[in-house]
Structures are given as C-alpha cells and as structure tokens.
C-alpha cells in the first residue's frame, strides 16, 4: 500500500515550485515520514524556514509554519523554542540561506545546543536567487557569480556544526531517500541541536552550468561519493579521497540543552 503523503500536505498548496529533478521533494517526503514515525502533533510542531528554494518546503506542510527572512530561520526558530519549549521545532533551508546569510545564526544555535532539528539541504548553490555561488559550491565549479570557476574553499557543513557545538550531526543524500527519514527521526528524538545535512541536487542552476547531462548523472555522482561511516573506517585515506561520509557523524547526550538551562536561570532570578 502506497504511503499517504497527501494527509500531511496543506490543501491548495500543490503543485510545488521546484524544478523537475530537484531533490527537495525527496527531502520533504522524508520529513513527512519522519514526523509520522515520531507521531508529532502538527498543532504542537513549528517548521521554520528562511528564503530560497529549500525554504519553500514548510509552506506545503500541514503544521505550524513560519516562512521568515533570508538567513534568519535559526533565529526565528530559537525564538519559538524559547517562548514555547514544549513545541517540536524543525528548521528547513538551503546551504546559502543557512551557512552564508544565516551562518552567524546557525553557529550560535549549534553553540547553545537548543533543542531543535535543522534539516539543511546542501545543493551547492543559491538556486532561487540566480545561481550565485554559496559557501558549499565546490572549488573550481561554476556559478553565475563565478563564471571562471569558484576560487573559494568550501564549508563542510557537518564539521562546522560539530565544531560549533551541535550535539547530533548526521549526513545523507537525496539519492538515499530511506536514510533521510531515519536520520531525521533520530534528530527529532535527540534532546539538543540536531543537524541533518542532506546533500541535494540542483539540476537547473548548478547542474547545467557544471556539465551534468541529466538528473540521473547527478544522483549517480551522489551515490558514488557517499561513504557510510562504518565502511569508511575500513578504507585508507587514498580510498576516501573525493568522498564524503554519511550516517550519524557525531552524537553527545551529555551536554545540557539550552532551554532547560535557561529555565534554571529564571528560577534563580525569581528567588533572588
């Protein structure tokens, strides 16, 4: 029996705006399955985004949703969680929105270890706003603002999140759809800041410029470059050259969660 996604879609919001072959729809379906698995109450679940193709995702879902300013998803989500710690808070967005314009908010949300799940779709580019290069555009690749090749080194989003203090960090790709919801489930169940990086594809503004002949080629690339953590442990540095790790990359269940710490501060202030 086919999974019923329609029950989770807000009436009248389809068809979506994503280009044919875009991986964001795969991620959205994974998020829907994960929310169902966790039995989240839609009236007690806030899904927050900034601006961009990936940030349109919450608008399609039947939950409490916020479509906010460019790069400010983590800041708005932090505000929601501080005001209503009992709510489930999920952020959605792209690499440009989350780690360039919103980079400051991203690292500080990780540092605080506030209890939310951030699903960050990394498709190597600013898709909606014109195909500009992002901090995740591979060095040497083409974008509308780097027509002779991107000279910048890239951000490794998962390593950035671990270094900033997030306590659950996982990575998968749009070519591994069943792994997406499994990792999001673990992120939702984790008490603290959970980052789920999904390496995605953008066939229109990234793929065409960088000579991918089709979406299939882009998906084959993702499968070829992704290496599960357990498999990587048996490989040499030479074998891992040009690859990226997938699965749960980091987990810390000991670090205190921010809203609980803040509640203690309020109690102390009230007793002073």
């Amino acid at each position: 029996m086919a999974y019923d996604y329609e029950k989770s879609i807000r009436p009248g919001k389809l068809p979506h705006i994503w280009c044919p072959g875009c991986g964001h729809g795969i991620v959205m379906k994974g998020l829907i399955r994960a929310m169902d698995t966790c039995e989240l109450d839609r009236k007690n679940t806030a899904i927050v985004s900034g601006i961009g193709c990936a940030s349109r995702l919450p608008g399609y879902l039947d939950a409490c949703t916020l479509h906010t300013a460019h790069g400010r998803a983590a800041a708005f989500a932090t505000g929601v969680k501080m005001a209503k710690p009992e709510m489930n808070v999920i952020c959605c967005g792209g690499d440009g929105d989350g780690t360039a314009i919103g980079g400051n908010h991203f690292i500080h949300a990780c540092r605080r270890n506030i209890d939310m799940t951030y699903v960050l779709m990394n498709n190597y580019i600013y898709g909606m706003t014109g195909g500009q290069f992002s901090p995740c555009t591979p060095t040497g690749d083409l974008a509308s603002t780097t027509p002779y090749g991107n000279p910048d080194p890239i951000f490794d989003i998962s390593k950035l999140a671990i270094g900033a203090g997030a306590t659950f960090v996982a990575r998968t790709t749009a070519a591994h759809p069943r792994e997406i919801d499994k990792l999001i489930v673990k992120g939702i169940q984790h008490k603290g800041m959970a980052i789920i990086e999904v390496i995605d594809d953008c066939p229109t503004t990234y793929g065409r410029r960088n000579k991918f002949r089709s979406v299939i080629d882009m998906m084959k690339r993702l499968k070829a470059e992704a290496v599960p953590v357990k498999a990587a442990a048996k490989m040499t540095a030479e074998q891992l050259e040009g690859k990226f790790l997938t699965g749960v990359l980091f987990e810390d269940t000991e670090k205190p969660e921010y809203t609980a710490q803040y509640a203690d501060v309020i109690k102390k202030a009230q007793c002073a």
Side-chain angles (χ1 to χ4, degrees):
M1 182 177 178
Y3 189 93
D4 181 12
Y5 294 97
E6 194 169 342
K7 65 181 181 182
S8 301
I9 300 294
R10 187 171 286 159
K13 291 298 182 182
L14 294 180
H16 58 70
I17 66 158
W18 297 316
C19 301
C22 172
H24 294 341
I26 297 172
V27 180
M28 183 172 77
K29 293 171 80 172
L31 176 59
I32 289 172
R33 293 193 300 272
M35 291 172 65
D36 270 0
T37 299
C38 294
E39 299 181 334
L40 297 189
D41 177 1
R42 305 302 170 107
K43 294 181 180 178
N44 193 43
T45 301
I47 307 177
V48 186
S49 69
I51 295 296
C53 295
S55 294
R56 293 298 293 266
L57 190 157
Y60 303 119
L61 299 184
D62 184 17
C64 305
T65 59
L66 283 173
H67 190 205
T68 70
H70 210 171
R72 306 297 184 258
F76 276 87
T78 297
V80 171
K81 191 68 183 178
M82 293 302 294
K84 291 185 174 295
E86 73 279 6
M87 286 199 82
N88 309 299
V89 177
I90 298 170
C91 262
C92 293
D95 47 301
D97 181 69
T99 64
I101 295 174
N104 210 23
H105 298 297
F106 179 81
I107 60 173
H108 290 292
C110 291
R111 175 175 65 90
R112 294 187 178 105
N113 192 36
I114 191 163
D115 186 23
M116 69 172 76
T117 302
Y118 198 139
V119 182
L120 204 152
M121 288 159 264
N122 176 6
N123 61 3
Y124 305 132
I125 202 110
Y126 281 93
M128 179 181 285
T129 55
Q132 301 94 334
F133 77 108
S134 83
C136 300
T137 303
T139 306
D141 279 8
L142 305 180
S144 63
T145 46
T146 57
Y148 305 105
N150 173 30
D152 288 4
I154 64 166
F155 261 158
D156 182 320
I157 291 175
S158 291
K159 287 184 178 178
L160 176 67
I162 294 169
T167 50
F168 183 90
V169 179
R171 180 196 282 136
T172 186
T173 85
H176 300 82
R178 299 305 303 180
E179 191 176 37
I180 293 174
D181 47 305
K182 292 177 181 176
L183 293 178
I184 294 175
V185 166
K186 291 181 178 179
I188 290 172
Q189 293 173 339
H190 177 77
K191 188 69 173 177
M193 185 68 178
I195 304 296
I196 314 298
E197 179 188 4
V198 183
I199 308 288
D200 208 342
D201 71 309
C202 174
T204 301
T205 60
Y206 176 79
R208 289 176 183 172
R209 282 192 177 88
N210 289 283
K211 310 302 181 187
F212 285 94
R213 292 177 300 175
S214 68
V215 174
I216 295 173
D217 281 352
M218 299 187 79
M219 289 292 177
K220 285 181 177 177
R221 188 272 303 263
L222 293 179
K223 286 190 173 182
E225 294 183 356
V227 178
V229 172
K230 289 183 180 178
K234 302 175 184 175
M235 297 170 65
T236 65
E238 289 75 19
Q239 290 173 319
L240 290 171
E241 184 69 30
K243 310 287 186 182
F244 57 82
L245 303 188
T246 58
V248 177
L249 306 181
F250 180 76
E251 187 171 14
D252 176 0
T253 58
E254 301 296 324
K255 184 177 178 178
E257 191 276 327
Y258 188 71
T259 58
Q261 283 189 301
Y262 205 85
D264 289 340
V265 172
I266 292 173
K267 286 181 182 177
K268 289 178 182 176
Q270 290 172 336
C271 296

